Amino acid sequence: MTRLALLSLDDALPQLLGQAHALTAMQTVSTFDADGRVLAQNVVSALQVPPQDNSAMDGYAVRASDCVTAGAVLRVTQRIPAGSHGTLLSAGESARIFTGAPIPQGADAVVMQEDCEALDAEQVKVLKAVPVGQWVRRSGEDVTRGATVLTQGTRLTPAELGLAASIGLAQLHVSARPRVALFSTGDELVMPGDVAPAAMPAGAIYNSNRFFLRAMLKRLGCEVTDLGIVPDQREATIAALRHAAQHHDLILTSGGVSVGEEDHIKPAVESLGELNLWQLAIKPGKPFAYGQVNRDGGMCHFMGLPGNPVSSFVTFLLLVRPFVLALQGATKTDMARTEMTAHFDWPRADKRREFLRVQRNAQGGLDLFPNQSSGVLTSAVWGDGVVDNPAGQTIAKGDTVHFISFAEWLS
Ligand code: AMP
Ligand code: MG
């Protein structure tokens, strides 16, 4: 099935994500290694955190009723460093206590050492009145026993690893990594290292897409098989696709998705499965292909990105990123848009929705990269992100625009 109509991103994305059924395979990994992975199960706590009431300060544990007025003098009858525990504290007594140590029975507040005067080794003067509960961290104030602390579909970040460890989990159940085969098409492409810059033949260019696409897939938790450059020939393209489909969940290509004589992706995928060629109403990045390559007993997803580097970069972030996250069962696949002020003019409205490469400036606004051509990769390096500019919209200095940060998008 082929379709050739200018499709809006808002229409394309749900169609695409509708195909991205989460892979069912699950994996158990060390909590140390779970950064960036997607949780395959809810995480429920079997204990309270903190496990007991404990001190938030170095100081003295007291009974607040002994310190209703400033200047109370108490006997120091025990010493409780972190990692140990005390005994019952009676009226008129205090315990030397340190941050994280459990509050002894009978005590109900802590006085920080700066608010005390040690009279001698056995007596302390409390310089201020003490309210009940002062400087006490309550048992369960972080996590209560039985609480769901992390939900299935969460993409783990360092904070989540710490929280999982705090409830005693050395391992986590995560979704399997999508297996992605990557290849570049284009007879003009040369690999850095194969040919020195001074020796580049006329018409040749270095393959840049391969480097950032591979890196982006890895950041998103994929296991990447890099199949290199496939020549602009129908048979070679078919052979590469057939081979890749056997052991992968997704084949990702760049280049060759237009409908020129040298664009072999469309007939090649169609001969092995089906392809939808989309003309997306976005700039950069109009041509985009989604399809399926059949294999024994199943199929492999296919996504074809345009060859122009910035088009490839932006369509990856807009379409491939949410797709591979959805394959991992991630619940959040969309990107936050922040309202910011344009410090530039964009007087020519485009029929397509544009993703303009911009940089945040020290005044809290956005500057525009002067060359927005889809071949100029410098714009993506200079830029901190893009302005998501609706179709038909001009921008004047001072206007509020929607900014998407590369740092977040690429994370
Ligand atoms: P295509 O989509 O194959 O028509 O390619 C569009 C433009 O992108 C052409 O100028 C190609 O030379 C360029 N291009 C295609 N693939 C790559 C690549 N992997 N790295 C850098 N530029 C590329
Ligand atoms: Mg090409």
Side-chain angles (χ1 to χ4, degrees), residues 184-186 188-189 203 205-210 212-213 232 254-258 262-263 287 305-309 312:
S184 321
T185 72
E188 70 279 31
L189 300 177
I205 57 163
Y206 286 120
N207 184 350
S208 48
N209 297 358
R210 183 175 178 184
F212 64 73
L213 292 175
D232 283 329
S254 82
V257 285
S258 307
E262 291 298 326
D263 296 318
L305 304 181
N308 274 308
S312 225

